[in-house]
Amino acid sequence: MAKSSEKPVVEEEAVATAEADESPARMALNVKIEDIGPCKKHVRVSVPRASIDEVFGTILDDYAVRAAVPGFRVGHVPTDLVKKRFKTELAEQVKQRVLMASLEQLGDETELEPINEPNLDLDSIEIPEVGDFEYEFDVEVRPQFDMPKYKGLKIERPARPIGDKEVDAYLDQFLQQYGQLVPVDAPAQAGDFVTVNIDITLNGEPVAKMEDVSIRVRPKLRFQDAELAGFDKFMSGATAGETRETDLTVSMEADAIELRGETVHAKFTVLDVKRLETPALDQGFLNRIGATTQDDLRDQVKGMLERQMKYEQRQACRRQVLEKITDSANWELPEDLVSKQVDNALRREILEMRQAGFTSKEILARENDLRQRSLTMTRQNLKEHFVLDRLAEEEKLEVTADDINAEIAMMAMSRGENPRRVRARLIKSGMIENLEAQIRERKAVDIILDHADFVDVPMPASMETEVEALNRSICGSPSVEAEEAPHDHDHDHDHGGHDHDHN
């Protein structure tokens, strides 16, 4: 046999075939599972030598048939030479096959129900040449609980009339989104906009500084992690060059752990005062927004208000439903799982509000409130998710492609966008999976509501116009809505060169 420096190879098809071959026979696995925390298990798996040898033999036979070694015809390479020449490749293939088969069998034969991938370090795992193969990992699993009764619940359903008065009020807010800010040489009053610099200090030491921030003078100013009640009275009468000072209490769930619960000092320096001039509701404006007549616009607004009322009804009923079905959910959740889901919970709430046709300003006001309660909210949401997921399994609920397409079409219509663009953005941001989960949970809630007994009650008046939400944190964390969603009408305002953070 002539010597050659050519490197032995195996046709790519060989590797694919080795992976596609039927799985080895059931292994006599030795599995030990221990509780190491809430919804968390430590799993130790031992694979017997006989099963490893069976996998090795199957893969070796495939290599022997397809290996191309200089001096030998394909399919006629001695087995010992194949073992030697392809030792590394064979070991990697055996490891992958044994791990895959044993994990699959583990899933079939146990009731682990993992909620994420096991934390296996594949690079550090090696199968010994002799003896059994052992590996271990930690994994987070679904909590075990008795399913609560979910049919025949008593639910209060809030409702309100939607007539000309409500349509007029909404149109007034709608037109403001297309208004222009005009500087005025007058003291600030409710409804005006003040451009300010904000200095935040703690015990005289600087904590944060915000410059050229445009704020509407409303009864409540809401940061991501603090609130200032009575902001309209606090800022009333202020003129350019004046300063106003007050104290703020940092939310107990602010991102900056060291500042939680602290009282910080806020100094507002007024740079200018502006008032909002709204456009006339003429044919030119109607053409600009895609409406044919004022009656057409009013019909669209009424439809939007009806969708928003249905959203509020669904949220109110959902809260009652989830309170009732999670009363017995006294099981704990691992903190790392909770932390992973904090932003996810915010994204899902934002997604539902977009679908209902809320403006970015209204979404931001709700988001800042949610962020301050995010950790507590996420713990509750996770428990609700597990209960609704279990209900969906019991009721055999599925989410179809048509369900997702219908939701995307509705979102696109409410935002005046192309559905393909909305879908692409959802996929890029990873929110398409949130959408599917949201639809599935909504179907589960619908099952409960379909079998509930309702009592209609008056719907409380909306508080959104009472709150001015700033896309700022006095501790410095960014906003999910600001990072991921283009604001509805930012481009329609003349901001006079200043940031307009209320939108």
Side-chain angles (χ1 to χ4, degrees):
M1 180 180 66
K3 292 183 179 181
S4 171
S5 60
E6 295 181 48
K7 184 177 180 180
V9 298
V10 175
E11 297 176 16
E12 290 185 8
E13 184 184 353
V15 177
T17 302
E19 294 176 352
D21 282 345
E22 63 182 39
S23 298
R26 306 294 286 184
M27 304 176 181
L29 301 179
N30 184 0
V31 180
K32 294 182 179 180
I33 302 175
E34 302 175 39
D35 289 321
I36 57 172
C39 302
K40 205 166 188 177
K41 307 283 187 181
H42 180 76
V43 182
R44 183 177 290 105
V45 181
S46 177
V47 182
R49 188 73 232 173
S51 296
I52 299 171
D53 291 342
E54 179 187 348
V55 173
F56 181 81
T58 300
I59 296 176
L60 177 61
D61 290 345
D62 189 81
Y63 265 69
V65 170
R66 302 180 184 277
V69 177
F72 295 93
R73 286 180 296 154
V74 173
H76 291 77
V77 183
T79 300
D80 287 343
L81 183 58
V82 173
K83 287 183 183 179
K84 181 178 179 181
R85 291 292 185 98
F86 297 100
K87 181 178 180 180
T88 301
E89 293 86 347
L90 286 167
E92 186 63 26
Q93 287 287 313
V94 169
K95 181 174 75 171
Q96 291 182 14
R97 182 83 71 84
V98 168
L99 280 173
M100 188 187 314
S102 60
L103 286 172
E104 183 177 341
Q105 184 175 327
L106 185 66
D108 293 340
E109 296 179 351
T110 65
E111 298 181 354
L112 276 178
E113 293 190 276
I115 56 179
N116 55 21
E117 296 294 325
N119 61 342
L120 277 169
D121 183 1
L122 296 179
D123 292 336
S124 66
I125 293 177
E126 296 293 339
I127 294 183
E129 295 185 4
V130 296
D132 297 342
F133 166 50
E134 294 187 356
Y135 64 96
E136 54 189 320
F137 58 88
D138 297 335
V139 66
E140 292 172 349
V141 298
R142 293 181 182 277
Q144 299 297 314
F145 56 89
D146 294 329
M147 192 64 187
K149 177 184 177 183
Y150 57 87
K151 292 184 178 180
L153 301 179
K154 305 290 184 181
I155 302 295
E156 291 185 347
R157 179 172 53 198
R160 63 167 173 257
I162 298 178
D164 290 341
K165 179 181 177 182
E166 288 73 27
V167 171
D168 289 339
Y170 186 91
L171 274 176
D172 181 61
Q173 294 183 45
F174 180 75
L175 289 172
Q176 290 182 27
Q177 298 181 69
Y178 294 87
Q180 289 188 331
L181 295 177
V182 178
V184 294
D185 186 16
Q189 61 186 37
D192 285 348
F193 292 80
V194 290
T195 305
V196 298
N197 291 340
I198 307 174
D199 293 281
I200 307 295
T201 58
L202 176 63
N203 299 326
E205 297 296 322
V207 173
K209 185 176 182 65
M210 310 171 203
E211 297 184 334
D212 287 352
V213 182
S214 179
I215 308 175
R216 191 162 199 178
V217 180
R218 284 180 164 166
K220 181 179 291 185
L221 175 61
R222 179 177 292 156
F223 295 90
Q224 292 178 359
D225 43 16
E227 288 186 354
L228 175 53
F231 180 70
D232 53 346
K233 297 176 181 177
F234 170 75
M235 195 55 67
S236 178
T239 58
E242 284 192 33
T243 61
R244 299 288 169 96
E245 301 186 36
T246 188
D247 291 333
L248 298 171
T249 301
V250 180
S251 166
M252 288 303 296
E253 295 188 349
D255 288 342
I257 298 174
E258 69 280 4
L259 291 178
R260 291 177 181 175
E262 291 286 354
T263 298
V264 298
H265 190 70
K267 177 181 177 182
F268 293 74
T269 301
V270 180
L271 304 180
D272 61 37
V273 180
K274 294 186 177 76
R275 287 190 183 147
L276 188 65
E277 292 186 354
T278 57
L281 191 54
D282 54 21
Q283 192 60 47
F285 179 76
L286 293 173
N287 292 339
R288 178 184 177 189
I289 62 174
T292 55
T293 64
Q294 288 194 27
D295 287 341
D296 176 41
L297 177 59
R298 292 181 70 86
D299 288 342
Q300 291 184 37
V301 167
K302 187 173 183 180
M304 183 72 70
L305 289 174
E306 288 172 346
R307 287 196 297 275
Q308 290 188 8
M309 184 176 72
K310 288 180 180 178
Y311 167 83
E312 296 290 355
Q313 285 181 329
R314 176 175 294 279
Q315 292 302 95
C317 293
R318 177 189 173 99
R319 283 192 294 270
Q320 295 175 66
V321 164
L322 296 176
E323 285 174 4
K324 292 177 183 295
I325 67 174
T326 57
D327 278 346
S328 60
N330 54 7
W331 22 271
E332 294 297 324
L333 295 164
E335 283 301 313
D336 51 353
L337 174 62
V338 173
S339 63
K340 290 174 188 175
Q341 297 300 322
V342 168
D343 279 347
N344 201 39
L346 287 170
R347 289 187 176 96
R348 293 181 66 173
E349 180 72 12
I350 290 169
L351 183 61
E352 289 192 353
M353 293 190 73
R354 287 179 190 163
Q355 290 171 271
F358 286 86
T359 66
S360 289
K361 177 176 62 177
E362 293 167 326
I363 291 174
L364 183 59
R366 185 73 59 88
E367 180 198 342
N368 284 353
D369 179 51
L370 291 172
R371 182 180 289 276
Q372 293 184 36
R373 299 180 287 109
S374 58
L375 291 176
T376 300
M377 176 190 70
T378 299
R379 291 188 184 99
Q380 178 65 17
N381 282 352
L382 281 170
K383 291 184 177 182
E384 293 168 0
H385 162 73
F386 287 124
V387 173
L388 291 177
D389 191 59
R390 177 90 165 270
L391 189 157
E393 289 180 359
E394 292 189 3
E395 297 286 344
K396 297 181 172 56
L397 302 178
E398 295 182 355
V399 177
T400 67
D402 287 342
D403 292 330
I404 294 176
N405 291 338
E407 291 293 332
I408 290 176
M410 185 175 296
M411 292 172 65
M413 181 177 67
S414 69
R415 296 177 70 85
E417 295 185 71
N418 186 295
R420 289 193 298 273
R421 181 180 176 189
V422 174
R423 179 184 292 274
R425 187 167 63 247
L426 289 172
I427 293 173
K428 183 177 180 181
S429 66
M431 291 182 70
I432 195 73
E433 294 180 0
N434 289 0
L435 178 61
E436 182 174 352
Q438 175 225 337
I439 295 172
R440 190 168 189 255
E441 290 187 9
R442 184 197 303 161
K443 287 186 174 186
V445 172
D446 285 343
I447 290 288
I448 301 174
L449 296 179
D450 287 344
H451 296 84
D453 294 328
F454 290 101
V455 177
D456 285 340
V457 297
M459 179 177 287
S462 172
M463 296 296 291
E464 299 296 348
T465 57
E466 301 294 305
V467 177
E468 175 68 355
L470 272 187
N471 180 23
R472 300 292 180 95
S473 163
I474 60 175
C475 302
S477 62
S479 160
V480 171
E481 169 70 9
E483 289 178 342
E484 299 193 352
H487 289 172
D488 291 351
H489 302 291
D490 285 356
H491 60 282
D492 292 306
H493 285 298
D494 177 7
H495 299 155
H498 295 313
D499 293 337
H500 198 184
D501 288 341
H502 79 284
N503 270 350

